[in-house]
Amino acid sequence: MEIIEKEDIQGIIVKGYAHLPACKFVLLGMGSKQAAQQWLQLIAQNITRGSEKKPPAAVNLAFTYEGLKVLGLDGSSLDTFPLEFEDGMTTPHKQLFLGDFGNSAPDKWEWGGPQQTPVHALLMLYAPDETSLQLLYDMQRQHFAQFQLTEIKRLDTAVLGQRKEHFGFHDGIAQPTIKGLGKQDTPENTVAAGEFILGYKDAYNQYPDTPQVPLLQGKESSLPPAVKPGMLDFGKNGSYLVFRQMAQDVQVFWQYIESITMQDGKSDEQAMIQLAAKMVGRWPSGAPVSVCPDKDDTSMESRDDFGYRAVDSAGLRCPIGSHIRRTNPRDAMDASSSKSMEIANKHRILRRGRSYGKPVCDSLEPAEILRSKNFEGERGLYFICFNAAINRQFEFIQNAWVNNPKLLGLNHERDPLIGNNAHPDDAHQCGFFSVPANGLRRHYSNIPDFTTVKGGAYFFMPGLHALAYLAAR
């Protein structure tokens, strides 16, 4: 078994910092190469490593393609990065891949869009509480002017109770376990390290493509040699980070659910929760609908060891178009059960997102959300994931599963939560969702966009040795 070099991997890749609920994400622009390198030499001493089991606070750092340019990587080195990293999220063909149309179009983004100031770096700060986080942020900010750093945008987060997201559902359950990090899990959910961290074998039993840099004359480097003579493996122990700010319209979501489940002009709370659970694929507690088809069961709130083929191949329990079934079809694709799982695991991502904005109510129970009138302000999710191949993992999920209107026999449907119903190929310009039942199929139409993309970018998070190389160029 390959030994994972956690000492050289930035900590957020290895663990989600659940014990550090307070965090900020700072989007930075860098000035001159020299000033940026001097800052990097300073901050590199404070970068949290994956080998730290429970750090009292955490600092992690990633760069865009343009940021690596500022830091002095030449064209031949930059050419070894994948094209999707260079292209970013905002080109016209990426709109088609990611479904960023209508209100989610890049020209309407608040950051990261083609009209905005280019983002060069992402500074990720984590702490046990808001007071400690502010101190950590102030400590970092005091160096910005000195090293010609511009704070483009500071993204604050919110701690939501009971591990829920703003719509009221338990979140962050279905995470792959990285093979070789020591945690035990089912074989089906244990995924090769090279799917998330460069320098290790992936699900194809191959080493993923890795960026390379030249050996600097007269300077030592701890980077391992690359296959090409005279080049170093810059990607070893690094990963590609996808960051998307997604606003959630909680009021629109629950008002829509209420409007299509009313009986004789009266709200039917149980019918509302049941339909919302069908769209999500889990009940508010987190219990999977495929395991608990009739009602919520809090004893199943974190259950993730289930499939669809044996008990729910037709989607009678969990609709085929539901959010969690689309984003991870598990054993339900057109192949044998084991082959389907193998295929699905070649498109997994490692999620590290956080929520932002004030929740509409403290409990985030659907009944209380419905009674609440506190819908002012923006709230949503900072979607963050790691993958070794952006095109085969994140972009494939978005294009082939989330926004595919004909996924696994469906017709004219997209993901009911995060699919974009303003897609230009959608002749009706409205969303559909179907719920099979006893040979029939109940269709729901005119689904509005419940989420809106507000900004985004692709980053590369280098290993610690790669950070040292950038600082020494």
Side-chain angles (χ1 to χ4, degrees), residues 117-245:
T117 303
V119 174
H120 293 150
L122 169 65
L123 181 61
M124 311 173 80
L125 307 175
Y126 299 83
D129 53 62
E130 289 298 327
T131 300
S132 302
L133 179 64
Q134 188 62 41
L135 291 172
L136 181 62
Y137 168 68
D138 290 342
M139 186 185 307
Q140 296 297 328
R141 185 177 56 177
Q142 68 179 333
H143 302 298
F144 289 178
Q146 177 185 357
F147 297 112
Q148 301 177 21
L149 299 174
T150 302
E151 182 176 296
I152 295 171
K153 197 170 184 65
R154 185 183 71 243
L155 303 174
D156 297 317
T157 65
V159 180
L160 305 188
Q162 302 175 346
R163 295 173 61 189
K164 290 196 172 187
E165 49 73 53
H166 284 290
F167 290 139
F169 289 79
H170 190 170
D171 194 24
I173 300 171
Q175 289 277 38
T177 294
I178 301 176
K179 185 178 180 180
L181 284 183
K183 181 181 176 181
Q184 298 300 311
D185 202 344
T186 62
E188 294 81 9
N189 199 49
T190 303
V191 181
E195 290 296 298
F196 313 108
I197 310 170
L198 301 184
Y200 304 91
K201 287 187 176 181
D202 60 19
Y204 294 89
N205 201 34
Q206 302 290 326
Y207 291 99
D209 291 339
T210 183
Q212 301 175 33
V213 291
L215 179 64
L216 300 176
Q217 293 295 323
K219 294 185 179 182
E220 294 184 0
S221 175
S222 299
L223 288 173
V227 175
K228 186 177 180 180
M231 300 294 283
L232 300 174
D233 184 352
F234 182 78
K236 181 66 182 287
N237 294 318
S239 184
Y240 293 100
L241 184 161
V242 178
F243 195 118
R244 281 161 77 82
Q245 180 179 345

Side-chain angles (χ1 to χ4, degrees), residues 24-318:
K24 291 182 189 292
F25 304 120
V26 189
L27 302 169
L28 296 171
M30 298 186 294
S32 69
K33 170 187 170 183
Q34 182 180 11
Q37 287 181 315
Q38 290 174 344
W39 171 66
L40 195 52
Q41 291 170 8
L42 176 67
I43 195 174
Q45 304 171 37
N46 299 317
I47 296 295
T48 305
R49 302 168 185 263
S51 55
E52 298 181 51
K53 292 186 177 180
K54 207 169 183 179
V59 177
N60 289 130
L61 183 62
F63 302 97
T64 61
Y65 182 87
E66 294 300 320
L68 292 174
K69 269 187 181 179
V70 175
L71 283 163
L73 289 193
D74 59 20
S76 60
S77 297
L78 290 168
D79 285 345
T80 64
F81 284 87
L83 186 61
E84 57 271 16
F85 176 61
E86 179 182 356
D87 285 347
M89 292 184 185
T90 63
T91 62
H93 76 278
K94 283 301 175 68
Q95 281 188 274
L96 289 171
F97 259 77
L98 304 181
D100 293 338
F101 294 97
N103 291 328
S104 291
D107 60 3
K108 296 181 180 179
W109 288 3
E110 296 175 358
W111 63 272
Q115 309 304 321
Q116 272 92 32
T117 303
V119 174
H120 293 150
L122 169 65
L123 181 61
M124 311 173 80
L125 307 175
Y126 299 83
D129 53 62
E130 289 298 327
T131 300
S132 302
L133 179 64
Q134 188 62 41
L135 291 172
L136 181 62
Y137 168 68
D138 290 342
M139 186 185 307
Q140 296 297 328
R141 185 177 56 177
Q142 68 179 333
H143 302 298
F144 289 178
Q146 177 185 357
F147 297 112
Q148 301 177 21
L149 299 174
T150 302
E151 182 176 296
I152 295 171
K153 197 170 184 65
R154 185 183 71 243
L155 303 174
D156 297 317
T157 65
V159 180
L160 305 188
Q162 302 175 346
R163 295 173 61 189
K164 290 196 172 187
E165 49 73 53
H166 284 290
F167 290 139
F169 289 79
H170 190 170
D171 194 24
I173 300 171
Q175 289 277 38
T177 294
I178 301 176
K179 185 178 180 180
L181 284 183
K183 181 181 176 181
Q184 298 300 311
D185 202 344
T186 62
E188 294 81 9
N189 199 49
T190 303
V191 181
E195 290 296 298
F196 313 108
I197 310 170
L198 301 184
Y200 304 91
K201 287 187 176 181
D202 60 19
Y204 294 89
N205 201 34
Q206 302 290 326
Y207 291 99
D209 291 339
T210 183
Q212 301 175 33
V213 291
L215 179 64
L216 300 176
Q217 293 295 323
K219 294 185 179 182
E220 294 184 0
S221 175
S222 299
L223 288 173
V227 175
K228 186 177 180 180
M231 300 294 283
L232 300 174
D233 184 352
F234 182 78
K236 181 66 182 287
N237 294 318
S239 184
Y240 293 100
L241 184 161
V242 178
F243 195 118
R244 281 161 77 82
Q245 180 179 345
M246 302 175 68
Q248 296 175 258
D249 198 325
V250 178
Q251 184 176 19
V252 167
F253 176 77
W254 283 108
Q255 284 183 347
Y256 174 80
I257 298 292
E258 183 178 37
S259 70
I260 59 176
T261 55
M262 278 189 171
Q263 298 292 332
D264 299 323
K266 296 181 180 179
S267 296
D268 186 334
E269 184 178 304
Q270 184 55 40
M272 291 173 61
I273 294 173
Q274 187 167 34
L275 178 57
K278 293 279 189 181
M279 288 184 172
V280 174
R282 291 185 185 271
W283 294 94
S285 74
V289 173
S290 61
V291 178
C292 311
D294 300 319
K295 62 180 180 179
D296 204 344
D297 184 349
T298 56
S299 70
M300 300 282 186
E301 64 180 16
S302 297
R303 183 166 177 182
D304 198 41
D305 58 339
F306 63 90
Y308 301 110
R309 181 180 295 266
V311 298
D312 196 24
S313 60
L316 294 174
R317 295 184 174 194
C318 181

